[in-house]
């Protein structure tokens, strides 16, 4: 039996995409070169963290954006972030945590949560993950949102994660799912779908399959259209195992 690997949403998502890719990236530890989309994502995450830090220090939102220095290619993302942070403060929320790294030893999970906001009037939290790509349906992201909720509630058992969502910085678009209770507040009311216990069962099933695959040490190739964008394609084509 292999030592139990601690999982993250990136590891679980990679395994779903292709078990062989999971092996190259996380078992063989072959590091992927960052492409332009990854670099953009890193830049936007760093600047969003800087903005949130300034706001948590008590600076006025208009001043923060007025004094912000950034590359002009980020203009759409900066305007998107301005809308996002204004939505937080004008709808009764405050920033609870930013880029927090959480380890949940009971569930063998870890991860970094981009930003968590808290309703000023209650113990409800909302998790947001930033994405720089085109807006897509929330169903694609349910697994990672479940993982974030598990992580947050393991660290803050007295608080409830009421909703979780993706914020697409370039388009200024939300995709939000509620964990059960639908509310009238700004963010919850934008939810188009819920996350139910069935979604958490799905996560459990994938995790069981992933650990079983590691124990069997056979990582099947998931051939498909994504192969042509895969960093590991060349070694994969030459690998007949
Ligand atoms: S080339 Fe395709 S099958 Fe091979 S690792 Fe990449 S995604 Fe998987």
């Amino acid at each position: 039996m292999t030592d139990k690997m601690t999982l993250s949403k990136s590891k679980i998502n990679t395994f779903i995409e292709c078990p062989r890719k999971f092996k190259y990236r996380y078992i063989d530890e072959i590091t992927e070169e960052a492409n332009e989309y990854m670099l953009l994502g890193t830049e936007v995450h760093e600047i969003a963290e800087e903005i949130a830090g300034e706001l948590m220090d008590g600076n006025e939102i208009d001043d923060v954006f007025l004094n912000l220095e950034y590359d002009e290619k980020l203009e759409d993302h900066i305007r998107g972030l301005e809308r996002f942070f204004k939505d937080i403060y004008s709808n009764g929320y405050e920033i609870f945590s930013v880029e927090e790294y959480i380890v949940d030893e009971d569930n063998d999970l870890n991860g970094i949560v981009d930003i968590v906001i808290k309703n000023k009037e209650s113990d409800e939290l909302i998790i947001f993950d930033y994405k720089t790509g085109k807006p897509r349906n929330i169903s694609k992201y349910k697994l990672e949102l479940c993982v974030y909720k598990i992580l947050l509630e393991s660290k803050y058992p007295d608080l409830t994660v009421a909703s979780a969502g993706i914020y697409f910085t370039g388009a200024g678009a939300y995709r939000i799912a509620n964990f059960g209770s639908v509310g009238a507040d700004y963010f919850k009311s934008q939810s188009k779908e819920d996350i139910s216990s069935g979604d958490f069962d799905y996560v459990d099933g994938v995790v069981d399959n992933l650990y079983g695959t590691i124990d069997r040490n056979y990582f099947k190739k998931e051939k498909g259209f994504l192969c042509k964008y895969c960093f590991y394609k060349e070694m994969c084509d030459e690998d007949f195992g």
Side-chain angles (χ1 to χ4, degrees):
M1 168 84 69
T2 320
D3 280 349
K4 209 168 181 190
M5 175 188 272
T6 300
L7 299 180
S8 64
K9 63 116 185 181
S10 306
K11 287 178 182 170
I12 298 171
N13 275 337
T14 304
F15 179 76
I16 292 170
E17 194 186 314
C18 173
R20 184 63 61 99
K21 189 173 185 175
F22 174 90
K23 174 182 181 291
Y24 293 144
R25 189 181 283 172
Y26 297 112
I27 306 284
D28 301 342
E29 298 183 342
I30 301 167
T31 310
E32 209 168 331
E33 267 171 41
N35 61 34
E36 61 179 304
Y37 303 106
M38 293 173 175
L39 293 173
L40 173 67
T42 303
E43 278 186 83
V44 170
H45 278 74
E46 284 176 356
I47 210 154
E49 185 178 3
E50 180 188 333
I51 294 165
E54 298 266 344
L55 294 171
M56 290 169 89
D57 285 346
N59 293 295
E60 290 294 325
I61 197 159
D62 287 335
D63 293 343
V64 170
F65 280 90
L66 207 59
N67 296 324
L68 199 62
E69 290 181 9
Y70 57 89
D71 190 307
E72 65 180 34
K73 74 174 189 290
L74 299 180
E75 181 64 28
D76 288 349
H77 299 276
I78 300 301
R79 297 286 73 86
L81 288 171
E82 186 172 12
R83 177 191 164 191
F84 176 65
F85 285 106
K86 285 186 170 169
D87 283 348
I88 292 170
Y89 285 100
S90 60
N91 289 290
Y93 278 83
E94 61 192 358
I95 298 172
F96 178 77
S97 68
V98 174
E99 297 289 331
E100 188 174 16
Y101 176 68
I102 302 176
V103 178
D104 174 1
E105 288 179 356
D106 290 343
N107 290 300
D108 297 302
L109 282 175
N110 65 20
I112 297 174
V113 187
D114 285 347
I115 184 163
V116 181
I117 62 173
K118 182 179 173 302
N119 189 321
K120 287 183 185 169
E121 306 298 324
S122 74
D123 291 334
E124 289 191 348
L125 304 176
I126 300 183
I127 296 164
F128 278 107
D129 196 47
Y130 305 121
K131 304 263 187 234
T132 51
K134 287 189 186 145
R136 302 174 74 175
N137 192 288
I138 189 75
S139 55
K140 178 179 177 344
Y141 305 103
K142 281 184 172 181
L143 181 144
E144 58 200 81
L145 299 179
C146 289
V147 170
Y148 287 138
K149 180 175 165 77
I150 295 167
L151 283 173
L152 249 291
E153 291 185 346
S154 76
K155 177 143 189 202
Y156 303 105
D158 296 336
L159 301 174
T160 303
V161 176
S163 310
I166 307 294
Y167 185 64
F168 294 89
T169 54
Y174 295 101
R175 296 290 184 270
I176 299 174
N178 293 325
F179 295 102
S181 71
V182 179
D185 75 51
Y186 180 75
F187 293 108
K188 278 175 148 184
S189 64
Q190 297 201 34
S191 171
K192 298 275 186 287
E193 239 176 286
D194 288 348
I195 293 181
S196 65
S197 58
D199 295 303
F200 286 93
D201 292 345
Y202 172 69
V203 176
D204 287 344
V206 173
V207 167
D208 286 348
N209 186 14
L210 196 163
Y211 283 130
T213 300
I214 292 174
D215 283 343
R216 289 189 296 277
N217 195 25
Y218 177 70
F219 298 83
K220 99 178 158 66
K221 296 180 182 181
E222 201 65 64
K223 290 278 184 192
F225 80 98
L226 285 176
C227 291
K228 69 178 170 194
Y229 306 108
C230 179
F231 174 77
Y232 305 102
K233 184 170 188 330
E234 211 175 303
M235 70 182 73
C236 181
D237 287 345
E238 291 169 0
D239 178 357
F240 298 103

